[in-house]
Amino acid sequence: MSAITSVFQPGRKALIAYVTAGYPDAKATVKIAAALAEGGCDIIELGIPFSDPMADGATIQKASYQALQKGITPEVCLKIAATIRETITTPMVFMTYYNPILNYGLEAFCQSCVKAGVDGLIVPDLPPEEGLELEKVTHKNNLDLIYLLAPTSTNERISTVAARSRGFIYLVSLTGVTGARNSLSPELKGFVKRVRAKTDLPLCVGFGISKIEHAMETAALADGVIIGSKLIELIEQDESLTTLKSFITSVRQALNTQKKTGEV
Amino acid sequence: MTARPDVSGYFGKYGGKFVPETLMPALAELENAYADALADTAFQKQFDRLCKDYIGRPTPLYYAAQLSKKAGGATILLKREDLAHTGAHKINNALGQGLLAKRMGKTRIIAETGAGQHGVAAATVCAMLGLECVVYMGSEDIKRQAPNVVRMKLMNAEVRPVNSGSKTLKDAINEAIRDWVSNVQNTHYSLGSVVGPHPYPMIVRDFQAIIGREARAQVMSAYKKLPDYLVACVGGGSNSIGLFHPFYNDKDVKFIGVEAGGKGLKTGKHAATLATGKVGVLHGTKSYLMEDEHGQIMETHSISAGLDYPGVGPEHSFYKDSGRATYVTVDDNQALEGFKLLCHTEGIIPALESSHAIYYAVKMAKDLSKDKIIIVNLSGRGDKDLGIVTQALGMEA
């Protein structure tokens, strides 16, 4: 059982928090991670900024751009992760596009991840068709390569991803890019059911989840909830991180009132 | 013809589909629709008829006598894509994809554009086929290619300025992909070059290969032999692949792709991807690209917006590694020289993109004998560039 899979326990819905590493700066990310862990986050997802984030909406684009302007590189992100790991035990995953990993070298990158205490990778522009090489290297290094599924995924693709994703499956809640939305997609329920019918892997839903009610509704369907852009907005609004922490704490408390995993 | 790309969309080790999961089914749908269209003679007939009656094909293969004389060597022939409707080769692909979109039942087309030529071509085809059209264009490019923005608007397209990153073609593609991810059910993404995820590099190449097929027949008919060299500019690489591809098996015909040297390779301000780049993944395809030491995509520079792109089509990367094509660079000033030379000698105002190819063809023609034939793809006309040229040459209107 990997650090990531051990998060998914009966009776507990996982809360996964995404923040862009190095935004607003490297030191802040370390503090943010501590706040997230303290607030009851189960997995911390650190985004390595990329110049051309094609799956991201305006909020993460802007955070990535500003982090890059400050000189944040994959190397720096690895250092940030290692520093976070010195004080907290919460599982961590990196979210980044394929090119920075390819440029670093797959083997070298995975080894550095392990050294920094990172437990898995999410690569939004790497579908299973293109992921064989990275899969081999991640598995060898005991990292979980987490694949994504979307409402447009066919049943055949769902089976493929179910067979190959490690840790959990990242369900993209809507047909679109990342970013806070006012309401959940009406297609979400049917989509989660379609995937659930094909796999026992934990299912975590992200993209557009920005309110406690969204998290509650999602948790009723799936095993975990991923919140990203909303957190970046909260960090922007209040750099003291008080608002961020109280939001995460309330989401955690709300999720704790949910029934057992898997009950729909 | 070749069997490339393979079933996974690879040209050797280049190509593939590096896109968000949301788009994978759409790419499969497009691939299937394209295979069906290829097998459907009615579709082919419609495409051929519109190529002839709407675009005005075949475009002439023109013997540039004065330009050849000026160069003082080889015979230079110009494939006159500048005479195609809307003034550039981009219309060939825009028409093909427009018909495909109709066939797939899509009601909305999105496109990216750099110089504005693909945007204009997409807007034109959408007007003719009754499709909604949204064009993403970097705000930097909107400034330098204003006449094309007006043309798109006249044809009822919505031009959406892109302010992220370098505000040029690369960022316009990012934004178009984001739109496609969000509206994939009713929208077809009409990608304008031989880049992006499979099947785009194949589909765009096939629609542009009409350039090379015509040129091959025309040169055989007029000169009873194959050309010695094909010269074309390379940004994403659609006009060059369109010319080269039908000659692939003619091993004695040499392919020369001309990349934008911008302000010079040493300055770093250029768009010579094949000359200086590394292999990576950008916009859904594995190919050469311009990146920094950390894998971030670099901002490029060229006087011609259409060549100002940090990636290149995967088939070009394959041609480079296999040696089938040679890639050279021509800088901004040399392109301007090529531009002026064609205006003066032939009374043809070329696009700044094509001017790169003109310059190189003249340079190499000098050292060749008259019986050697060079075909240059005059991929577009230069009306859109008058503002930039006037400024660069310090001319007064």
Side-chain angles (χ1 to χ4, degrees), chain A residues 55-92:
Chain A
D56 284 304
T59 305
I60 295 178
Q61 276 179 53
K62 198 177 120 197
S64 303
Y65 181 77
Q66 291 187 5
L68 288 174
Q69 293 299 102
K70 292 210 167 158
I72 302 298
T73 62
E75 200 73 56
V76 175
C77 294
L78 284 159
K79 280 188 193 141
I80 292 173
T83 311
I84 294 172
R85 186 48 85 226
E86 285 169 11
T87 53
I88 63 169
T89 55
T90 311
M92 275 190 290

Side-chain angles (χ1 to χ4, degrees), chain B residues 42 47 57 109 123 186 214 242 312 346 385:
Chain B
F47 182 65
R57 304 205 71 90
I109 279 198
N186 73 339
E214 284 177 9
V312 69
E346 297 288 348
D385 295 317

